Amino acid sequence: ILNVEQSPQSLHVQEGDSTNFTCSFPSSNFYALHWYRWETAKSPEALFVMTLNGDEKKKGRISATLNTKEGYSYLYIKGSQPEDSATYLCAVRDDKIIFGKGTRLHILP
Amino acid sequence: GAVVSQHPSWVICKSGTSVKIECRSLDFQATTMFWYRQFPKQSLMLMATSNEGSKATYEQGVEKDKFLINHASLTLSTLTVTSAHPEDSSFYICSARPASVVDTQYFGPGTRLTVL
């Protein structure tokens, strides 16, 4: 895996709106994809680990999907709340783990 | 959930001095710990993987004599930046993997190093 791309880099969303962002990766030699939420001055917190094409995971208002054939994962947040403001990191593992630069999400009150 | 601490959370040092950063798993045993570095607006980059009781495995381009890693117990790994230079200024973050789980790592909060 050469590169893990996350888009957009930054996102402003009105409180109550739903949103989603993308993690793209080369689809060869894929083993697992991780999503983390990273609040300022805190430790990154694991959200999901996905390994199989078509995987869908959900945790409260946050869900994620995985398409290993085309090399992308979406993270969805439904009904955004101020506490969702954070940087969301995607990491993809084949023989080593490669992180994207993250999507910084700002929830506007 | 599992907690990993890092100390110090920030440090400022003079060029040429050495700085030690500690990473501790507080409520679980970590056979493997990872050290990452993040420059501004860049991704977390894996520097090295440390296994308890053995030598660390360094990623390509990371000088093992400059970034000394010790993982002497199942709950503690240390990273020592030797003879630090301004270009070593960065955010260093560790993670720890529990003995029983392969695909999970718990991160510390990171250490901001500034070398003057």
Side-chain angles (χ1 to χ4, degrees), chain A residues 3-4 31-32 34 36 38 41-46 49 51 89 93 96-102, chain B residues 4 34 36 38 41-46 59-60 91 93 97 102-110:
Chain A
N3 205 17
V4 174
Y31 181 78
H34 301 251
Y36 294 89
W38 194 1
K42 294 186 178 180
S43 305
E45 172 197 357
V49 178
T51 57
L89 292 179
R93 187 159 78 89
K96 60 177 63 177
I97 190 164
I98 305 293
F99 281 82
K101 293 182 181 179
Chain B
V4 174
F34 304 91
Y36 296 86
Q38 185 184 38
K41 297 187 180 180
Q42 299 300 311
S43 313
L44 290 177
M45 297 292 292
L46 181 65
E59 295 300 306
Q60 193 172 7
F91 185 76
I93 189 168
R97 187 166 70 195
V102 174
D103 254 330
T104 299
Q105 53 179 323
Y106 298 99
F107 283 87

Side-chain angles (χ1 to χ4, degrees), chain B residues 29 31 97-103:
Chain B
Q29 293 187 328
T31 50
R97 187 166 70 195
S100 57
V101 185
V102 174
D103 254 330

